[in-house]
Amino acid sequence: MAKDAYLVGLIGSGIGPSLSPALHEREADRQGLRYLYRLIDIDALSMPPEAVGDLVRAAGDLGFDGLNITHPCKQLVIEHLDALAPQAEALGAVNTVVLEPDGRAVGHNTDVTGFAASFARGLPDAPLREIVQLGAGGAGAAVAHATLTLGAERVTVVDALPERAAALAASLNGHFGAGRAASAPPERLADLLSRADGLVHATPTGMAAHPGLPLPADLLHPGLWVAEVVYRPLETELLRTARAAGCAVLDGGGMAVFQAADAFRLFTGREPDTVRMLADITELAGAEYSAGQAL
């Protein structure tokens, strides 16, 4: 018989404001499930990121059905798992752990599938010849994999740490084939964007705690589409500026919803309603923005 009660959680640093609990619990309520989503903040627990393995084991012992994993534990958790789904193994990062009834902990990555689904929905006809991506961290690795999976001919990764961009490009070429990815320093952005079809932004710039633009506004032009990973706020300064410049844009809310929906499916075996969840994140982020404006 299918279960009707689930205990899941999120392990990471500074995760108090996360919208994941609300996204998961709202959908579970609509499906008539008892579903408790707990935040396991390593900062609040005064635990180092390396303790993620202990937390995963403790969650298994306590009867958790699954865990989401976020910064800075997505790579560190891998050595503590019993198996990896192919996408998580290829990426070298895990954001979802299914704790199976037999005690095994299996790692997945729904960031990749989440971005791919959001992009296909929000920018279905976008050209994918030459893509520039800002950011080579954990989110950057996931969205670069997703963009190449969607059929991009070439992704050039730009990061403030050139060695990190080069490492990601090398990993992408190893997985997708030589020549599919390259790295470049920030000084080359103007030239790269003048010839690019699209820009994927995967750095923290634009978040409430890191306001501003990740690049000079005059580099944006009407022939460029812009996809954002940041979803808090949904309308970042980059998206506002890009829209004003005539660019087609994609906010980060879709990725947040589709990765949550994929995790929900893995945890419960039930099909989430992504249309309702997309409405949820618009409502939740809007309420959060209004509250911030009122302060």
Side-chain angles (χ1 to χ4, degrees):
M1 293 180 60
K3 291 178 52 167
D4 63 0
Y6 295 87
L7 175 60
V8 302
L10 172 65
I11 297 175
S13 170
I15 55 175
S18 175
L19 297 182
S20 290
L23 281 174
H24 280 251
E25 290 179 352
R26 281 184 173 209
E27 180 58 19
D29 286 346
R30 289 188 290 253
Q31 297 207 20
L33 302 176
R34 289 175 291 168
Y35 195 103
L36 181 61
Y37 193 112
R38 305 289 294 178
L39 295 179
I40 306 170
D41 193 323
I42 60 174
D43 295 346
L45 295 170
S46 299
M47 299 179 77
E50 292 76 15
V52 64
D54 295 330
L55 292 172
V56 170
R57 282 188 291 275
D61 291 342
L62 291 169
F64 277 67
D65 297 286
L67 297 163
N68 284 134
I69 310 292
T70 191
H71 175 80
C73 301
K74 289 184 181 183
Q75 289 82 32
L76 293 169
V77 73
I78 289 176
E79 65 181 282
H80 304 287
L81 303 178
D82 298 299
L84 294 177
Q87 207 150 46
E89 186 170 16
L91 189 59
V94 163
N95 80 323
T96 301
V97 176
V98 176
L99 298 169
E100 299 187 341
D102 63 4
R104 297 170 76 244
V106 181
H108 301 259
N109 194 298
T110 67
D111 286 333
V112 178
T113 53
F115 183 81
S118 176
F119 192 95
R121 174 185 175 274
L123 292 172
D125 302 315
L128 292 168
R129 182 182 51 85
E130 287 281 347
I131 312 303
V132 175
Q133 178 174 302
L134 277 178
V143 297
H145 270 254
T147 304
L148 287 168
T149 299
L150 286 166
E153 292 181 23
R154 183 179 174 89
V155 173
T156 301
V157 183
V158 178
D159 194 271
L161 300 174
E163 63 278 8
R164 187 164 68 167
L168 176 54
S171 173
L172 293 168
N173 283 325
H175 186 70
F176 291 96
R180 298 291 300 282
S183 63
E187 295 76 30
R188 288 195 55 209
L189 260 181
D191 176 56
L192 291 168
L193 288 175
S194 70
R195 297 179 281 109
D197 295 311
L199 169 68
V200 177
H201 175 238
T203 84
T205 303
M207 295 174 65
H210 305 278
L213 280 173
L215 78 172
D218 59 8
L219 299 187
L220 301 171
H221 56 84
L224 196 69
W225 53 258
V226 176
E228 177 71 272
V229 170
V230 172
Y231 73 94
R232 304 181 68 195
L234 281 177
E235 179 81 347
T236 62
E237 187 172 344
L238 173 62
L239 292 186
R240 284 195 299 273
T241 305
R243 191 179 287 109
C247 303
V249 301
L250 179 70
D251 67 48
M255 178 181 176
V257 163
F258 285 108
Q259 68 82 19
D262 288 347
F264 183 92
R265 188 182 299 108
L266 287 166
F267 294 151
T268 67
R270 297 171 184 256
E271 191 62 32
D273 187 325
T274 54
V275 173
R276 294 187 302 199
M277 293 179 74
L278 286 163
D280 286 339
I281 201 165
T282 300
E283 179 186 337
L284 291 164
E288 184 179 67
Y289 177 77
S290 298
Q293 291 291 95
L295 293 176

